[in-house]
Amino acid sequence: MDEHVVEIHQLDFSYNGQPVLQNVEFALKKGDFMAMIGPNGGGKTTLLKLMLGLLTPERGVITVLGAAPRQVSHRVGYVPQDIHINKAFPISVMDVVLMGRLRPGFGGLRHTRRDRRAAYHSLDRMGMADYAERRIGELSGGQIQRVFVARALVTRPELLFLDEPAASIDTRGQQEFYQLLEALNQEITIILVSHDLMAV
């Protein structure tokens, strides 16, 4: 359990010459549950995007699962901060989770029975299996968030990144959601971004 799944050394990043992150240094061990807490605009999401390989550092080194972030993206699950849903769009919960199984060059939008089993299992882990055929627009904010975590889990990632995952969930729902994450952490290393110190 001492293996580092994330290592960052002397990391700097700026937007248009404005420093956002300076000399960031840390390591995360396999099985950890880390929360990055700070005010809005403090650089939390930027650091997450750097670890995902969506941004490139100006200086420093990032290693994720022993490689450059983009090389291991298929081993990482990600739930972004802003998930905008057209509630009128006729897509089922199952279809949303199956999007996590789409891979370039693997048959486009066709899904196998194995894909559907994986999606159902992922929904079941998040307590959402009974909603598989419901339209995504019929769900509450907390239920939608669980569906998007299920989508991130459908590829069985080793590392899960969550950006403000409880922002659209009420206080009671947040407690249940964090309990689900605690259970997931038995198998997956988790990095969570939040500005809400009390909730974390």
Side-chain angles (χ1 to χ4, degrees), residues 93-104:
V93 165
M94 175 62 79
D95 288 334
V96 169
V97 178
L98 283 168
M99 286 179 191
R101 298 286 287 193
L102 295 178
R103 299 174 304 278

Side-chain angles (χ1 to χ4, degrees), residues 25-26 37 83 88 115-116 138-139 146 152 172:
E25 189 90 31
F26 77 86
I37 303 168
I83 300 171
D115 290 333
R116 292 189 75 79
E138 296 174 9
L139 305 184
R146 287 181 186 213
R172 182 177 160 213

Side-chain angles (χ1 to χ4, degrees), residues 59-78:
R59 183 180 76 98
V61 177
I62 303 175
T63 305
V64 176
L65 298 169
R70 288 185 186 175
Q71 294 175 344
V72 292
S73 60
H74 60 288
R75 296 167 62 191
V76 176
Y78 173 48

Side-chain angles (χ1 to χ4, degrees), residues 28-39:
L28 186 70
K29 291 181 180 176
K30 184 176 180 181
D32 280 353
F33 190 134
M34 183 183 89
M36 290 193 291
I37 303 168

